[in-house]
Amino acid sequence: MKVLVLTTDWPTKDRPNDVPFLVQYMAALRHQGMEVEIFHFNGRANPVNYFRAWFRVRKEPCWKNANILHAHWGQSAFLALFSRKPLVITFHGSDLQGIVSESGRYSLKGRLLVAINKLLARKADRCVVVSRRLAELLPPSCSPIEIIPMGIDLHLFQPMPKADARRILGLDQNFRYILFVSDPNRAEKRFELAQQAVSFADLKNVELLTVSDQPHDRIPLFLNAGDLLLLTSSHEGSPVIIKEALACNLPVVSVDVGDVREKLDNIPGCIICDDDSVEAISKAIKKALSYPFSIDGRESVRDLSWDLIAKRTISLYQDCLEEKQ
């Protein structure tokens, strides 16, 4: 089976650490015997770029050879319009939830993006979402919907001694570190809210440590060196960092977004905030840091190995191809 992946996000020379989960996804599919080609283009919210990419991809050998098209992020599916090839679209979050502007509000551009993506969803043979909440945002008339979250590398993300991780990273052994693992400049991640909550908690020898633009293979070091992962986003699809933290048995405090509640509800030591106020997040931080035991998060994410996610995806591909015959 030959799969052509259409995506607006992929690592580049200037941004080598982008979308590591998608890179791992493709590697897992190849490991299962799939022939996978990537067509990456820069949409940049400019219709002209999409039309140019539409014409350009059709000149590539991978277009002619592909048995199935798989668009990651709804807008990437524009390139598949007027094709008879089976189309799968995976929606990751903002493509169905919108774009948060610097003011903290959802932008007009984001609302337009959502409307276009809902139209494109109707053209797909299968729509894939990474969480149940995203499935609820798709129109009822669109194709069958599958929930397939992004996986994690359970070999890379596993527990290690905290002291060793801190020594490698050069962190103070006597501090407690609350990790914010995201680009603080992305408005929807609400870094300022995280700062305010940690400051309001007023805890001694506690530091909010921002982890951004790091090679993916260094992230497990930070997760093992930290005392707590904090997520304050205005929205998420299915935040991979939550699962990676659980795989390292790192406690998590998060607002109730994406599939976070499904992952954290039954893990003592992890807390979902009552709301997204500074006071509620601060209270949750204090409670989590005072939890006297190690958490057992790893068991809750064993079903998210990339091998299992790849097998589920291949089964979906096969269903699409059979329906086209």
Side-chain angles (χ1 to χ4, degrees), residues 217-234:
D217 59 5
R218 280 179 64 82
I219 299 300
L221 287 173
F222 286 97
L223 296 179
N224 279 287
D227 295 279
L228 184 70
L229 176 74
L230 178 60
L231 190 142
T232 54
S233 304
S234 57

Side-chain angles (χ1 to χ4, degrees), residues 22-40:
L22 191 56
V23 175
Q24 291 180 323
Y25 198 172
M26 299 306 105
L29 288 173
R30 289 171 177 141
H31 184 71
Q32 294 291 333
M34 296 291 99
E35 294 186 40
V36 180
E37 295 286 344
I38 312 296
F39 184 83
H40 169 228

Side-chain angles (χ1 to χ4, degrees), residues 130-142:
V130 294
S131 68
R132 195 174 307 279
R133 283 188 177 181
L134 288 183
E136 295 169 357
L137 297 178
L138 283 169
S141 58
C142 78

Side-chain angles (χ1 to χ4, degrees), residues 7 18-19 53 101 106-107 114 143 152 169 173 180 204 208 212 223 227 244-245 250 274-275 285 292:
T7 178
D18 281 3
V19 291
S101 67
Y106 286 90
S107 67
V114 169
S143 64
I152 53 175
L169 294 172
Q173 299 287 355
F180 184 90
K204 293 182 179 180
L208 179 64
S212 178
L223 296 179
D227 295 279
E244 292 172 340
L250 176 67
D274 294 334
D275 54 57
I285 289 171

